[in-house]
Amino acid sequence: MGAWGTGIFANDTAADVRDEYFEYLEDEVPDEEATRRLIDSFAYLLREDNAAELWVPLAAAQFQVGRLDGQVKAAALAAIDEGTGLDLWEEAGPDELAERVAALQELRGQLTGPQPARKTFPKS
């Protein structure tokens, strides 16, 4: 996984998760089916003990469009609270790690607060 910053979507895998999820919505795939397909597509992350790389960006993407699934939210919050998925930023140094943790805490606040209005996507 390549990273170019500390933001939630500032690495290759997270950007891919978001983009694929949004593609399903653009194709008018129902919410539950879009979530299932996305999880199936990135199931290797779960097998490789990299669950945070799936749950955190998926929860963030769902939140952005007002479609946050309860199970995805719970999994993302658990990953944030447990501090999993921080290896890349630990290797980058203390400043990058602190910035990533701050980004995750900001996301945590969003996920536990009110969800924005549901957004629709134009058919692509």
Side-chain angles (χ1 to χ4, degrees), residues 15-55:
D16 290 345
V17 167
R18 177 197 57 209
D19 294 347
E20 188 170 322
Y21 177 69
F22 286 172
E23 285 174 16
Y24 290 134
L25 298 181
E26 289 168 358
D27 289 342
E28 298 181 351
V29 174
D31 293 343
E32 288 181 15
E33 179 68 13
T35 298
R36 186 195 61 74
R37 287 185 189 182
L38 195 284
I39 292 169
D40 287 349
S41 182
F42 288 89
Y44 71 92
L45 294 171
L46 304 176
R47 290 188 301 272
E48 296 174 0
D49 200 28
N50 293 318
E53 292 183 45
L54 169 61
W55 300 124

mmCIF file of all heavy atoms in Angstrom, residues 15-55:
data_model
loop_
_atom_site.group_PDB
_atom_site.id
_atom_site.type_symbol
_atom_site.label_atom_id
_atom_site.label_comp_id
_atom_site.label_asym_id
_atom_site.label_seq_id
_atom_site.Cartn_x
_atom_site.Cartn_y
_atom_site.Cartn_z
ATOM 1 N N ALA A 15 -8.320 4.688 -0.961
ATOM 2 C CA ALA A 15 -8.886 5.357 -2.137
ATOM 3 C C ALA A 15 -9.621 4.350 -3.018
ATOM 4 O O ALA A 15 -10.693 4.646 -3.549
ATOM 5 C CB ALA A 15 -7.787 6.067 -2.914
ATOM 6 N N ASP A 16 -9.068 3.153 -3.152
ATOM 7 C CA ASP A 16 -9.724 2.114 -3.947
ATOM 8 C C ASP A 16 -11.050 1.684 -3.322
ATOM 9 O O ASP A 16 -12.036 1.470 -4.036
ATOM 10 C CB ASP A 16 -8.809 0.901 -4.107
ATOM 11 C CG ASP A 16 -7.610 1.163 -5.004
ATOM 12 O OD1 ASP A 16 -7.604 2.181 -5.733
ATOM 13 O OD2 ASP A 16 -6.663 0.345 -4.974
ATOM 14 N N VAL A 17 -11.070 1.536 -1.997
ATOM 15 C CA VAL A 17 -12.312 1.173 -1.299
ATOM 16 C C VAL A 17 -13.380 2.229 -1.571
ATOM 17 O O VAL A 17 -14.505 1.910 -1.967
ATOM 18 C CB VAL A 17 -12.067 1.000 0.222
ATOM 19 C CG1 VAL A 17 -13.377 0.946 0.995
ATOM 20 C CG2 VAL A 17 -11.229 -0.245 0.495
ATOM 21 N N ARG A 18 -13.042 3.479 -1.360
ATOM 22 C CA ARG A 18 -14.010 4.569 -1.587
ATOM 23 C C ARG A 18 -14.485 4.596 -3.035
ATOM 24 O O ARG A 18 -15.688 4.658 -3.304
ATOM 25 C CB ARG A 18 -13.372 5.908 -1.231
ATOM 26 C CG ARG A 18 -14.288 7.099 -1.510
ATOM 27 C CD ARG A 18 -13.548 8.412 -1.555
ATOM 28 N NE ARG A 18 -12.493 8.335 -2.558
ATOM 29 C CZ ARG A 18 -11.352 9.026 -2.498
ATOM 30 N NH1 ARG A 18 -11.112 9.836 -1.506
ATOM 31 N NH2 ARG A 18 -10.455 8.898 -3.447
ATOM 32 N N ASP A 19 -13.540 4.532 -3.964
ATOM 33 C CA ASP A 19 -13.907 4.653 -5.376
ATOM 34 C C ASP A 19 -14.800 3.509 -5.834
ATOM 35 O O ASP A 19 -15.782 3.735 -6.554
ATOM 36 C CB ASP A 19 -12.648 4.732 -6.245
ATOM 37 C CG ASP A 19 -11.840 5.996 -5.993
ATOM 38 O OD1 ASP A 19 -12.352 6.931 -5.339
ATOM 39 O OD2 ASP A 19 -10.675 6.044 -6.447
ATOM 40 N N GLU A 20 -14.479 2.292 -5.419
ATOM 41 C CA GLU A 20 -15.306 1.151 -5.818
ATOM 42 C C GLU A 20 -16.704 1.251 -5.199
ATOM 43 O O GLU A 20 -17.706 0.990 -5.866
ATOM 44 C CB GLU A 20 -14.631 -0.164 -5.424
ATOM 45 C CG GLU A 20 -15.339 -1.377 -5.976
ATOM 46 C CD GLU A 20 -14.557 -2.668 -5.801
ATOM 47 O OE1 GLU A 20 -13.315 -2.656 -5.940
ATOM 48 O OE2 GLU A 20 -15.210 -3.704 -5.539
ATOM 49 N N TYR A 21 -16.776 1.650 -3.936
ATOM 50 C CA TYR A 21 -18.083 1.808 -3.290
ATOM 51 C C TYR A 21 -18.921 2.854 -4.031
ATOM 52 O O TYR A 21 -20.098 2.626 -4.331
ATOM 53 C CB TYR A 21 -17.893 2.201 -1.820
ATOM 54 C CG TYR A 21 -19.189 2.447 -1.099
ATOM 55 C CD1 TYR A 21 -20.060 1.393 -0.818
ATOM 56 C CD2 TYR A 21 -19.564 3.727 -0.709
ATOM 57 C CE1 TYR A 21 -21.266 1.610 -0.166
ATOM 58 C CE2 TYR A 21 -20.770 3.951 -0.056
ATOM 59 C CZ TYR A 21 -21.611 2.898 0.206
ATOM 60 O OH TYR A 21 -22.806 3.121 0.848
ATOM 61 N N PHE A 22 -18.315 3.983 -4.353
ATOM 62 C CA PHE A 22 -19.050 5.023 -5.073
ATOM 63 C C PHE A 22 -19.471 4.553 -6.469
ATOM 64 O O PHE A 22 -20.537 4.929 -6.962
ATOM 65 C CB PHE A 22 -18.226 6.304 -5.166
ATOM 66 C CG PHE A 22 -18.133 7.078 -3.870
ATOM 67 C CD1 PHE A 22 -17.286 8.168 -3.783
ATOM 68 C CD2 PHE A 22 -18.859 6.732 -2.744
ATOM 69 C CE1 PHE A 22 -17.186 8.909 -2.600
ATOM 70 C CE2 PHE A 22 -18.762 7.448 -1.561
ATOM 71 C CZ PHE A 22 -17.929 8.537 -1.497
ATOM 72 N N GLU A 23 -18.655 3.731 -7.115
ATOM 73 C CA GLU A 23 -19.031 3.188 -8.426
ATOM 74 C C GLU A 23 -20.299 2.345 -8.320
ATOM 75 O O GLU A 23 -21.176 2.431 -9.182
ATOM 76 C CB GLU A 23 -17.893 2.353 -9.009
ATOM 77 C CG GLU A 23 -16.744 3.184 -9.535
ATOM 78 C CD GLU A 23 -15.556 2.335 -9.983
ATOM 79 O OE1 GLU A 23 -15.709 1.112 -10.182
ATOM 80 O OE2 GLU A 23 -14.465 2.907 -10.125
ATOM 81 N N TYR A 24 -20.390 1.541 -7.268
ATOM 82 C CA TYR A 24 -21.611 0.746 -7.074
ATOM 83 C C TYR A 24 -22.821 1.664 -6.916
ATOM 84 O O TYR A 24 -23.886 1.406 -7.493
ATOM 85 C CB TYR A 24 -21.495 -0.162 -5.847
ATOM 86 C CG TYR A 24 -20.513 -1.302 -6.005
ATOM 87 C CD1 TYR A 24 -19.607 -1.594 -4.992
ATOM 88 C CD2 TYR A 24 -20.486 -2.095 -7.148
ATOM 89 C CE1 TYR A 24 -18.708 -2.642 -5.114
ATOM 90 C CE2 TYR A 24 -19.595 -3.141 -7.282
ATOM 91 C CZ TYR A 24 -18.702 -3.418 -6.259
ATOM 92 O OH TYR A 24 -17.820 -4.448 -6.382
ATOM 93 N N LEU A 25 -22.668 2.714 -6.148
ATOM 94 C CA LEU A 25 -23.797 3.630 -5.956
ATOM 95 C C LEU A 25 -24.160 4.337 -7.257
ATOM 96 O O LEU A 25 -25.345 4.527 -7.550
ATOM 97 C CB LEU A 25 -23.470 4.643 -4.859
ATOM 98 C CG LEU A 25 -23.208 4.066 -3.464
ATOM 99 C CD1 LEU A 25 -22.935 5.184 -2.475
ATOM 100 C CD2 LEU A 25 -24.356 3.181 -2.996
ATOM 101 N N GLU A 26 -23.151 4.721 -8.027
ATOM 102 C CA GLU A 26 -23.419 5.350 -9.322
ATOM 103 C C GLU A 26 -24.165 4.401 -10.258
ATOM 104 O O GLU A 26 -24.962 4.841 -11.086
ATOM 105 C CB GLU A 26 -22.108 5.805 -9.969
ATOM 106 C CG GLU A 26 -21.483 6.992 -9.271
ATOM 107 C CD GLU A 26 -20.059 7.269 -9.716
ATOM 108 O OE1 GLU A 26 -19.511 6.512 -10.548
ATOM 109 O OE2 GLU A 26 -19.478 8.247 -9.209
ATOM 110 N N ASP A 27 -23.899 3.101 -10.104
ATOM 111 C CA ASP A 27 -24.583 2.089 -10.918
ATOM 112 C C ASP A 27 -25.931 1.683 -10.315
ATOM 113 O O ASP A 27 -26.550 0.719 -10.769
ATOM 114 C CB ASP A 27 -23.700 0.848 -11.067
ATOM 115 C CG ASP A 27 -22.499 1.095 -11.956
ATOM 116 O OD1 ASP A 27 -22.500 2.080 -12.725
ATOM 117 O OD2 ASP A 27 -21.532 0.300 -11.880
ATOM 118 N N GLU A 28 -26.363 2.410 -9.296
ATOM 119 C CA GLU A 28 -27.651 2.213 -8.629
ATOM 120 C C GLU A 28 -27.783 0.846 -7.955
ATOM 121 O O GLU A 28 -28.882 0.287 -7.852
ATOM 122 C CB GLU A 28 -28.805 2.471 -9.598
ATOM 123 C CG GLU A 28 -28.814 3.901 -10.122
ATOM 124 C CD GLU A 28 -29.969 4.194 -11.066
ATOM 125 O OE1 GLU A 28 -30.694 3.247 -11.468
ATOM 126 O OE2 GLU A 28 -30.142 5.363 -11.402
ATOM 127 N N VAL A 29 -26.670 0.322 -7.474
ATOM 128 C CA VAL A 29 -26.705 -0.907 -6.685
ATOM 129 C C VAL A 29 -27.264 -0.534 -5.311
ATOM 130 O O VAL A 29 -26.820 0.455 -4.713
ATOM 131 C CB VAL A 29 -25.283 -1.513 -6.556
ATOM 132 C CG1 VAL A 29 -25.285 -2.708 -5.621
ATOM 133 C CG2 VAL A 29 -24.737 -1.879 -7.934
ATOM 134 N N PRO A 30 -28.253 -1.265 -4.799
ATOM 135 C CA PRO A 30 -28.816 -0.946 -3.477
ATOM 136 C C PRO A 30 -27.732 -0.952 -2.396
ATOM 137 O O PRO A 30 -26.730 -1.666 -2.499
ATOM 138 C CB PRO A 30 -29.831 -2.070 -3.244
ATOM 139 C CG PRO A 30 -30.187 -2.553 -4.620
ATOM 140 C CD PRO A 30 -28.931 -2.407 -5.435
ATOM 141 N N ASP A 31 -27.956 -0.175 -1.355
ATOM 142 C CA ASP A 31 -26.951 0.031 -0.307
ATOM 143 C C ASP A 31 -26.385 -1.266 0.263
ATOM 144 O O ASP A 31 -25.166 -1.432 0.336
ATOM 145 C CB ASP A 31 -27.524 0.872 0.838
ATOM 146 C CG ASP A 31 -27.832 2.291 0.426
ATOM 147 O OD1 ASP A 31 -27.329 2.739 -0.629
ATOM 148 O OD2 ASP A 31 -28.578 2.960 1.150
ATOM 149 N N GLU A 32 -27.253 -2.145 0.700
ATOM 150 C CA GLU A 32 -26.773 -3.392 1.315
ATOM 151 C C GLU A 32 -25.971 -4.227 0.327
ATOM 152 O O GLU A 32 -24.955 -4.820 0.684
ATOM 153 C CB GLU A 32 -27.942 -4.202 1.878
ATOM 154 C CG GLU A 32 -28.543 -3.587 3.124
ATOM 155 C CD GLU A 32 -29.686 -4.419 3.695
ATOM 156 O OE1 GLU A 32 -29.837 -5.602 3.317
ATOM 157 O OE2 GLU A 32 -30.424 -3.874 4.528
ATOM 158 N N GLU A 33 -26.419 -4.275 -0.917
ATOM 159 C CA GLU A 33 -25.709 -5.034 -1.945
ATOM 160 C C GLU A 33 -24.370 -4.380 -2.264
ATOM 161 O O GLU A 33 -23.354 -5.067 -2.453
ATOM 162 C CB GLU A 33 -26.567 -5.146 -3.209
ATOM 163 C CG GLU A 33 -25.911 -5.890 -4.344
ATOM 164 C CD GLU A 33 -25.711 -7.378 -4.094
ATOM 165 O OE1 GLU A 33 -26.283 -7.936 -3.134
ATOM 166 O OE2 GLU A 33 -24.965 -7.997 -4.864
ATOM 167 N N ALA A 34 -24.324 -3.063 -2.337
ATOM 168 C CA ALA A 34 -23.064 -2.360 -2.593
ATOM 169 C C ALA A 34 -22.055 -2.653 -1.483
ATOM 170 O O ALA A 34 -20.880 -2.915 -1.753
ATOM 171 C CB ALA A 34 -23.309 -0.856 -2.709
ATOM 172 N N THR A 35 -22.529 -2.647 -0.242
ATOM 173 C CA THR A 35 -21.655 -2.949 0.892
ATOM 174 C C THR A 35 -21.156 -4.388 0.807
ATOM 175 O O THR A 35 -19.960 -4.653 0.975
ATOM 176 C CB THR A 35 -22.389 -2.703 2.220
ATOM 177 O OG1 THR A 35 -22.742 -1.313 2.290
ATOM 178 C CG2 THR A 35 -21.535 -3.064 3.414
ATOM 179 N N ARG A 36 -22.047 -5.327 0.520
ATOM 180 C CA ARG A 36 -21.655 -6.738 0.418
ATOM 181 C C ARG A 36 -20.629 -6.955 -0.694
ATOM 182 O O ARG A 36 -19.614 -7.612 -0.505
ATOM 183 C CB ARG A 36 -22.871 -7.624 0.170
ATOM 184 C CG ARG A 36 -22.528 -9.118 0.208
ATOM 185 C CD ARG A 36 -23.605 -9.993 -0.387
ATOM 186 N NE ARG A 36 -23.891 -9.737 -1.790
ATOM 187 C CZ ARG A 36 -23.099 -10.089 -2.811
ATOM 188 N NH1 ARG A 36 -21.963 -10.691 -2.592
ATOM 189 N NH2 ARG A 36 -23.458 -9.825 -4.058
ATOM 190 N N ARG A 37 -20.885 -6.351 -1.848
ATOM 191 C CA ARG A 37 -19.945 -6.501 -2.969
ATOM 192 C C ARG A 37 -18.575 -5.920 -2.621
ATOM 193 O O ARG A 37 -17.550 -6.497 -2.966
ATOM 194 C CB ARG A 37 -20.487 -5.804 -4.215
ATOM 195 C CG ARG A 37 -21.630 -6.511 -4.870
ATOM 196 C CD ARG A 37 -21.991 -5.791 -6.153
ATOM 197 N NE ARG A 37 -23.222 -6.286 -6.730
ATOM 198 C CZ ARG A 37 -23.733 -5.831 -7.878
ATOM 199 N NH1 ARG A 37 -23.111 -4.865 -8.547
ATOM 200 N NH2 ARG A 37 -24.851 -6.322 -8.343
ATOM 201 N N LEU A 38 -18.591 -4.773 -1.968
ATOM 202 C CA LEU A 38 -17.321 -4.137 -1.608
ATOM 203 C C LEU A 38 -16.544 -5.019 -0.630
ATOM 204 O O LEU A 38 -15.338 -5.232 -0.792
ATOM 205 C CB LEU A 38 -17.608 -2.756 -0.999
ATOM 206 C CG LEU A 38 -16.453 -1.775 -0.877
ATOM 207 C CD1 LEU A 38 -15.503 -2.057 0.218
ATOM 208 C CD2 LEU A 38 -15.848 -1.438 -2.172
ATOM 209 N N ILE A 39 -17.221 -5.542 0.364
ATOM 210 C CA ILE A 39 -16.567 -6.414 1.343
ATOM 211 C C ILE A 39 -16.029 -7.659 0.652
ATOM 212 O O ILE A 39 -14.889 -8.082 0.913
ATOM 213 C CB ILE A 39 -17.528 -6.756 2.491
ATOM 214 C CG1 ILE A 39 -17.814 -5.496 3.318
ATOM 215 C CG2 ILE A 39 -16.947 -7.856 3.383
ATOM 216 C CD1 ILE A 39 -18.952 -5.647 4.309
ATOM 217 N N ASP A 40 -16.797 -8.221 -0.262
ATOM 218 C CA ASP A 40 -16.322 -9.390 -1.006
ATOM 219 C C ASP A 40 -15.082 -9.044 -1.827
ATOM 220 O O ASP A 40 -14.131 -9.823 -1.889
ATOM 221 C CB ASP A 40 -17.413 -9.921 -1.937
ATOM 222 C CG ASP A 40 -18.536 -10.636 -1.207
ATOM 223 O OD1 ASP A 40 -18.395 -10.926 0.006
ATOM 224 O OD2 ASP A 40 -19.573 -10.893 -1.863
ATOM 225 N N SER A 41 -15.098 -7.897 -2.441
ATOM 226 C CA SER A 41 -13.981 -7.476 -3.286
ATOM 227 C C SER A 41 -12.686 -7.283 -2.500
ATOM 228 O O SER A 41 -11.589 -7.544 -3.000
ATOM 229 C CB SER A 41 -14.349 -6.177 -4.011
ATOM 230 O OG SER A 41 -13.331 -5.759 -4.869
ATOM 231 N N PHE A 42 -12.815 -6.837 -1.249
ATOM 232 C CA PHE A 42 -11.643 -6.562 -0.424
ATOM 233 C C PHE A 42 -11.494 -7.567 0.724
ATOM 234 O O PHE A 42 -10.803 -7.282 1.705
ATOM 235 C CB PHE A 42 -11.706 -5.132 0.116
ATOM 236 C CG PHE A 42 -11.455 -4.098 -0.944
ATOM 237 C CD1 PHE A 42 -12.506 -3.598 -1.697
ATOM 238 C CD2 PHE A 42 -10.177 -3.647 -1.208
ATOM 239 C CE1 PHE A 42 -12.287 -2.664 -2.698
ATOM 240 C CE2 PHE A 42 -9.938 -2.706 -2.198
ATOM 241 C CZ PHE A 42 -10.992 -2.217 -2.950
ATOM 242 N N ALA A 43 -12.094 -8.734 0.575
ATOM 243 C CA ALA A 43 -12.056 -9.756 1.628
ATOM 244 C C ALA A 43 -10.631 -10.179 1.973
ATOM 245 O O ALA A 43 -10.358 -10.596 3.097
ATOM 246 C CB ALA A 43 -12.891 -10.960 1.227
ATOM 247 N N TYR A 44 -9.713 -10.049 1.020
ATOM 248 C CA TYR A 44 -8.322 -10.416 1.302
ATOM 249 C C TYR A 44 -7.758 -9.620 2.476
ATOM 250 O O TYR A 44 -6.890 -10.108 3.205
ATOM 251 C CB TYR A 44 -7.449 -10.248 0.054
ATOM 252 C CG TYR A 44 -7.200 -8.815 -0.341
ATOM 253 C CD1 TYR A 44 -6.089 -8.129 0.129
ATOM 254 C CD2 TYR A 44 -8.091 -8.140 -1.177
ATOM 255 C CE1 TYR A 44 -5.857 -6.808 -0.227
ATOM 256 C CE2 TYR A 44 -7.860 -6.827 -1.536
ATOM 257 C CZ TYR A 44 -6.751 -6.163 -1.063
ATOM 258 O OH TYR A 44 -6.530 -4.854 -1.414
ATOM 259 N N LEU A 45 -8.242 -8.414 2.684
ATOM 260 C CA LEU A 45 -7.767 -7.601 3.810
ATOM 261 C C LEU A 45 -8.154 -8.246 5.138
ATOM 262 O O LEU A 45 -7.403 -8.175 6.113
ATOM 263 C CB LEU A 45 -8.322 -6.183 3.733
ATOM 264 C CG LEU A 45 -7.841 -5.340 2.562
ATOM 265 C CD1 LEU A 45 -8.627 -4.034 2.486
ATOM 266 C CD2 LEU A 45 -6.350 -5.068 2.665
ATOM 267 N N LEU A 46 -9.311 -8.858 5.174
ATOM 268 C CA LEU A 46 -9.771 -9.523 6.387
ATOM 269 C C LEU A 46 -8.943 -10.774 6.652
ATOM 270 O O LEU A 46 -8.595 -11.063 7.792
ATOM 271 C CB LEU A 46 -11.256 -9.870 6.280
ATOM 272 C CG LEU A 46 -12.185 -8.693 5.986
ATOM 273 C CD1 LEU A 46 -13.607 -9.186 5.801
ATOM 274 C CD2 LEU A 46 -12.095 -7.656 7.076
ATOM 275 N N ARG A 47 -8.612 -11.504 5.602
ATOM 276 C CA ARG A 47 -7.800 -12.714 5.744
ATOM 277 C C ARG A 47 -6.363 -12.380 6.138
ATOM 278 O O ARG A 47 -5.691 -13.172 6.778
ATOM 279 C CB ARG A 47 -7.815 -13.521 4.448
ATOM 280 C CG ARG A 47 -9.155 -14.168 4.162
ATOM 281 C CD ARG A 47 -9.078 -15.112 2.982
ATOM 282 N NE ARG A 47 -8.655 -14.475 1.738
ATOM 283 C CZ ARG A 47 -9.468 -13.887 0.870
ATOM 284 N NH1 ARG A 47 -10.758 -13.834 1.101
ATOM 285 N NH2 ARG A 47 -8.993 -13.354 -0.236
ATOM 286 N N GLU A 48 -5.883 -11.229 5.733
ATOM 287 C CA GLU A 48 -4.507 -10.821 6.014
ATOM 288 C C GLU A 48 -4.394 -10.016 7.305
ATOM 289 O O GLU A 48 -3.367 -9.393 7.562
ATOM 290 C CB GLU A 48 -3.946 -10.009 4.843
ATOM 291 C CG GLU A 48 -3.836 -10.806 3.561
ATOM 292 C CD GLU A 48 -3.414 -9.963 2.372
ATOM 293 O OE1 GLU A 48 -3.206 -8.740 2.528
ATOM 294 O OE2 GLU A 48 -3.307 -10.531 1.273
ATOM 295 N N ASP A 49 -5.445 -9.986 8.094
ATOM 296 C CA ASP A 49 -5.455 -9.252 9.358
ATOM 297 C C ASP A 49 -5.221 -7.754 9.160
ATOM 298 O O ASP A 49 -4.534 -7.099 9.934
ATOM 299 C CB ASP A 49 -4.435 -9.845 10.336
ATOM 300 C CG ASP A 49 -4.741 -9.448 11.776
ATOM 301 O OD1 ASP A 49 -5.934 -9.214 12.090
ATOM 302 O OD2 ASP A 49 -3.802 -9.355 12.581
ATOM 303 N N ASN A 50 -5.785 -7.239 8.071
ATOM 304 C CA ASN A 50 -5.708 -5.808 7.771
ATOM 305 C C ASN A 50 -7.104 -5.208 7.698
ATOM 306 O O ASN A 50 -7.398 -4.377 6.849
ATOM 307 C CB ASN A 50 -4.978 -5.580 6.439
ATOM 308 C CG ASN A 50 -3.528 -5.950 6.503
ATOM 309 O OD1 ASN A 50 -2.851 -5.654 7.488
ATOM 310 N ND2 ASN A 50 -3.030 -6.610 5.476
ATOM 311 N N ALA A 51 -7.966 -5.647 8.597
ATOM 312 C CA ALA A 51 -9.365 -5.251 8.553
ATOM 313 C C ALA A 51 -9.560 -3.737 8.601
ATOM 314 O O ALA A 51 -10.477 -3.203 7.974
ATOM 315 C CB ALA A 51 -10.138 -5.918 9.685
ATOM 316 N N ALA A 52 -8.710 -3.040 9.329
ATOM 317 C CA ALA A 52 -8.849 -1.588 9.432
ATOM 318 C C ALA A 52 -8.745 -0.923 8.061
ATOM 319 O O ALA A 52 -9.378 0.103 7.812
ATOM 320 C CB ALA A 52 -7.790 -1.014 10.368
ATOM 321 N N GLU A 53 -7.979 -1.523 7.152
ATOM 322 C CA GLU A 53 -7.816 -0.966 5.809
ATOM 323 C C GLU A 53 -9.097 -1.069 4.990
ATOM 324 O O GLU A 53 -9.243 -0.390 3.976
ATOM 325 C CB GLU A 53 -6.668 -1.656 5.077
ATOM 326 C CG GLU A 53 -5.315 -1.342 5.665
ATOM 327 C CD GLU A 53 -4.203 -1.991 4.870
ATOM 328 O OE1 GLU A 53 -4.231 -1.917 3.623
ATOM 329 O OE2 GLU A 53 -3.308 -2.568 5.498
ATOM 330 N N LEU A 54 -10.020 -1.915 5.427
ATOM 331 C CA LEU A 54 -11.326 -2.012 4.785
ATOM 332 C C LEU A 54 -12.374 -1.194 5.529
ATOM 333 O O LEU A 54 -13.053 -0.357 4.952
ATOM 334 C CB LEU A 54 -11.783 -3.471 4.706
ATOM 335 C CG LEU A 54 -13.245 -3.711 4.303
ATOM 336 C CD1 LEU A 54 -13.523 -3.163 2.913
ATOM 337 C CD2 LEU A 54 -13.576 -5.184 4.379
ATOM 338 N N TRP A 55 -12.492 -1.433 6.838
ATOM 339 C CA TRP A 55 -13.602 -0.845 7.591
ATOM 340 C C TRP A 55 -13.523 0.669 7.721
ATOM 341 O O TRP A 55 -14.547 1.353 7.607
ATOM 342 C CB TRP A 55 -13.703 -1.479 8.977
ATOM 343 C CG TRP A 55 -13.930 -2.944 8.934
ATOM 344 C CD1 TRP A 55 -13.168 -3.905 9.528
ATOM 345 C CD2 TRP A 55 -14.977 -3.649 8.267
ATOM 346 N NE1 TRP A 55 -13.679 -5.152 9.257
ATOM 347 C CE2 TRP A 55 -14.794 -5.026 8.485
ATOM 348 C CE3 TRP A 55 -16.074 -3.248 7.500
ATOM 349 C CZ2 TRP A 55 -15.644 -5.999 7.978
ATOM 350 C CZ3 TRP A 55 -16.924 -4.219 6.983
ATOM 351 C CH2 TRP A 55 -16.706 -5.567 7.234
#
